[in-house]
Amino acid sequence: MNSSLSSSLPAIAESMSQAHARMLSEACSVLRTESAGLQAMIAAMEDSGPDGRTGLGTAFVQVVDRILADNMRVVVTGIGKSGHIGRKIQATLASTGTPAIFVHPAEASHGDLGMLQRGDAVLAISNSGETKEMADIISHTRRFGMLLIAMTSVPGSTLARTADIVLPLPHTPEACPNGLAPTTSSTMQLALGDALAIVLLQRRRFSASDFGIFHPGGRLGPQLRRVSELMHTGDAMPLGPAGMPLRQVIMEITRKAFGCMGVVDANNRLTGLITDRDLRLALEQDLDHTCAVDIMNAKPQTIGPDVLAAEALRIMNDRPRPISSIFVLDGNDHPVGILHLHDLLRAGVA
């Protein structure tokens, strides 16, 4: 190796290390700046304003109350970076129980105003509050008496003065060193939209199973399916009476292939469970005179049909000896189905 190149390598490595350190310092500076913006918004949310009426917190509560009281659909609009944030806010609202659509301001001026309906709440997002492309959609809300909510950093802007309710974002520095690219402001917009969606979700008592209805695909959908959608029912269930001889128990377990059999009483209530392991321990006994009741577990683990699939998986695994099959009982302890671990695997839960 050339001696001059060899001697310069440590200097190059040190220079690269310094460059990397500067990169990380710059990245952390961005995060600190945006974090400061969120902290300022939290402080603003807790402040009702100088007159007790104009603070972010007061306005936020008004928005939630109006949307819920009148069961409003939310129409989100914005352009540029605010439009991108608006689309995400709309998607979060829609997936958490609040009907919502996004309307692009420019498209609104060319026919999409027809997507707006009386009784809608229009959430207009503009950092400056002076976005000229929003003029037509703002005018439309005034003409038809729709609730106009402004999310802006300039409370004295045209948008804010026109709106019914203003969500005033704190005026904090952008993370962009030139103060131009929306960074801190768009982070605050996104966070406030998330806060709105989640508070509405909680007020509606929107549950995990409700959430699953709007997320049937992907990884999340299977996690939120109910046991009743996956279980085997009817003749597929391995069941037998307490007096069934052990030889017939073996045949029932083998025929149904769940590795177990439920023991039921005269009223078809589940009173016990026999597994392959129970059978192995009992093989030395008389197969014709030993009955199901003699070897069954009288307190088996069971679940209900409305349990989420993900919760069923946890119940089956969260025990000293995980189980591969579990009986599903109704409110009267009658077996209505049986769920196997393979059913969860096929559904994409496990």
Side-chain angles (χ1 to χ4, degrees):
M1 180 183 292
N2 185 287
S3 59
S4 60
L5 176 60
S6 177
S7 62
S8 66
L9 286 178
I12 293 173
E14 181 179 0
S15 175
M16 291 179 64
S17 177
Q18 292 173 349
H20 292 168
R22 284 195 298 272
M23 291 178 195
L24 293 177
S25 176
E26 291 163 359
C28 289
S29 177
V30 171
L31 296 177
R32 278 191 290 269
T33 301
E34 296 198 356
S35 177
L38 293 177
Q39 290 299 321
M41 189 165 64
I42 292 173
M45 187 74 82
E46 295 172 342
D47 183 5
S48 61
D51 59 0
R53 296 183 297 104
T54 59
L56 177 58
T58 300
F60 184 89
V61 170
Q62 291 174 348
V63 169
V64 172
D65 283 346
R66 286 291 304 276
I67 291 174
L68 291 176
D70 297 331
N71 196 27
M72 291 179 164
R73 182 183 66 165
V74 179
V75 179
V76 185
T77 189
I79 201 165
K81 305 300 185 294
S82 293
H84 295 309
I85 295 298
R87 288 183 185 277
K88 194 277 179 184
I89 292 173
Q90 174 270 322
T92 302
L93 286 167
S95 69
T96 53
T98 299
I101 62 171
F102 180 85
V103 175
H104 193 284
E107 297 297 337
S109 299
H110 294 276
D112 279 4
L113 283 175
M115 298 172 67
L116 278 67
Q117 302 174 359
R118 293 181 186 273
D120 284 342
V122 176
L123 175 60
I125 307 173
S126 171
N127 189 40
S128 68
E130 299 294 344
T131 306
K132 62 182 180 180
E133 292 87 350
M134 297 176 69
D136 288 339
I137 199 168
I138 291 172
S139 176
H140 191 75
T141 67
R142 304 302 77 189
R143 179 181 177 186
F144 292 100
M146 300 171 189
L147 177 67
L148 177 60
I149 305 162
M151 184 186 294
T152 179
S153 297
V154 185
S157 63
T158 301
L159 173 61
R161 293 197 307 271
T162 307
D164 298 298
I165 305 175
V166 179
L167 295 171
L169 299 176
H171 188 70
T172 58
E174 299 285 8
C176 169
N178 299 318
L180 299 175
T183 46
T184 306
S185 59
S186 56
T187 297
M188 290 191 295
Q189 291 171 350
L190 181 60
L192 187 57
D194 284 343
L196 178 62
I198 298 306
V199 170
L200 286 167
L201 172 153
Q202 292 172 328
R203 298 284 81 73
R204 295 180 190 277
R205 301 193 193 307
F206 192 80
S207 68
S209 57
D210 295 325
F211 195 74
I213 293 172
F214 300 117
H215 296 79
R219 179 68 178 167
L220 186 59
Q223 296 285 339
L224 298 178
R225 294 180 68 181
R226 294 177 185 270
V227 166
S228 59
E229 300 176 57
L230 304 175
M231 67 186 188
H232 302 265
T233 62
D235 291 339
M237 291 186 289
L239 297 171
M244 177 182 282
L246 196 53
R247 188 181 299 278
Q248 294 181 26
V249 171
I250 295 173
M251 294 176 61
E252 178 72 2
I253 291 178
T254 302
R255 186 164 55 249
K256 300 296 177 65
F258 284 98
C260 66
M261 186 191 87
V263 180
V264 292
D265 63 16
N267 295 313
N268 197 38
R269 288 191 297 262
L270 189 76
T271 58
L273 180 75
I274 300 172
T275 66
D276 282 338
R277 183 172 181 273
D278 297 321
L279 285 179
R280 287 194 297 272
L281 295 175
L283 282 179
E284 294 183 359
Q285 301 183 39
D286 187 324
L287 299 184
D288 293 313
H289 294 89
T290 301
C291 296
V293 69
D294 298 323
I295 66 169
M296 73 180 189
N297 170 12
K299 295 183 178 180
Q301 177 70 63
T302 61
I303 54 175
D306 292 330
V307 172
L308 294 179
E311 176 67 5
L313 179 63
R314 185 195 66 77
I315 292 171
M316 295 169 75
N317 284 330
D318 191 15
R319 47 193 298 116
R321 184 180 286 110
I323 56 179
S324 58
S325 294
I326 188 168
F327 271 96
V328 184
L329 306 184
D330 64 14
N332 296 314
D333 291 334
H334 298 147
V336 293
I338 185 170
L339 183 71
H340 194 280
L341 180 62
H342 290 168
D343 302 318
L344 299 173
L345 289 169
R346 282 192 293 268
V349 177

